[in-house]
Amino acid sequence: MDRSEQDGFESFVAASGARLLRLAIGLTGDRGLAEDLVQETLARTYLAWRRIRDRDAAEAYARRILVTTHISLWRRRRVPEQVTAELPEWAGSDAYAALDGRAELWAALGRLGRKQRAVLVLRYYEDRDDTEVAALLGCSTSTVRSQAARALATLRMVPGLGAATTTSTERWSAP
């Protein structure tokens, strides 16, 4: 779009924007929804601006877009929103319960020896394989595996952590 067409569209918006907003408020009954509807209408009008030959009919074109867009959005909204005083029950799992267990797990990791802690953190938190962990710690892969097994056995003995350490593929997040 060249500069003169851009200026023409900006003039159109300045002249017609308030009238389009009033129509949208009348259709939706909500100023926020009306502003969204006008924004969508103006975006669609902008895309068609080159095809609109009669600039005097541009507002009628935009009104038509506004009404059809509103009807189309109304049809798509099959389940109306309902405002309630109380929030509904959460269907998903409790994310904070998992955080509680992680804090205990990190505290238990602090009680391990430095090498065992390093093996577990590198293996499961950093998601590195045994050869990478061995290279980082300067030991053999069999040492990494044995240190991990001993560390996990120690963590399983901590009350409340048995379930968190039964799967060796579980990833941890820092507290």
Side-chain angles (χ1 to χ4, degrees):
M1 184 179 294
D2 65 7
R3 188 64 199 157
S4 65
E5 288 177 325
Q6 182 75 27
D7 290 341
F9 182 76
E10 289 173 6
S11 298
F12 162 75
V13 171
S16 304
R19 287 188 295 273
L20 290 172
L21 181 60
R22 277 194 303 273
L23 173 60
I25 290 172
L27 290 173
T28 63
D30 180 87
R31 184 171 181 93
L33 292 174
E35 289 172 349
D36 291 344
L37 184 58
V38 169
Q39 183 176 1
E40 177 69 22
T41 298
L42 292 175
R44 291 181 183 192
T45 305
Y46 180 80
L47 292 174
W49 191 250
R50 286 187 176 177
R51 293 190 314 258
I52 301 173
R53 302 223 189 286
D54 184 8
R55 298 292 190 214
D56 296 333
E59 188 171 343
Y61 182 84
R63 272 196 312 272
R64 180 71 181 161
I65 291 174
L66 190 139
V67 171
T68 57
T69 301
H70 171 68
I71 291 170
S72 153
L73 291 174
W74 178 75
R75 282 183 190 150
R76 271 188 243 148
R77 189 182 300 171
R78 301 217 188 281
V79 180
E81 296 175 2
Q82 294 179 352
V83 179
T84 61
E86 291 183 32
L87 294 175
E89 290 292 323
W90 182 256
S93 63
D94 184 7
Y96 293 107
L99 290 176
D100 292 341
R102 287 188 205 143
E104 292 170 3
L105 181 60
W106 281 99
L109 280 172
R111 291 192 293 259
L112 293 175
R114 290 186 312 173
K115 195 163 197 171
Q116 287 181 350
R117 187 175 357 149
V119 166
L120 290 184
V121 169
L122 289 169
R123 246 181 139 194
Y124 302 112
Y125 182 70
E126 293 280 322
D127 199 25
R128 299 183 184 274
D129 64 15
D130 290 343
T131 56
E132 288 178 297
V133 174
L136 287 169
L137 296 178
C139 62
S140 68
T141 56
S142 61
T143 302
V144 169
R145 286 192 291 272
S146 68
Q147 290 293 316
R150 287 186 188 119
L152 289 173
T154 302
L155 290 178
R156 285 187 189 103
M157 302 304 286
V158 176
L161 285 183
T165 59
T166 56
T167 60
S168 61
T169 59
E170 182 178 0
R171 296 194 67 187
W172 304 323
S173 297

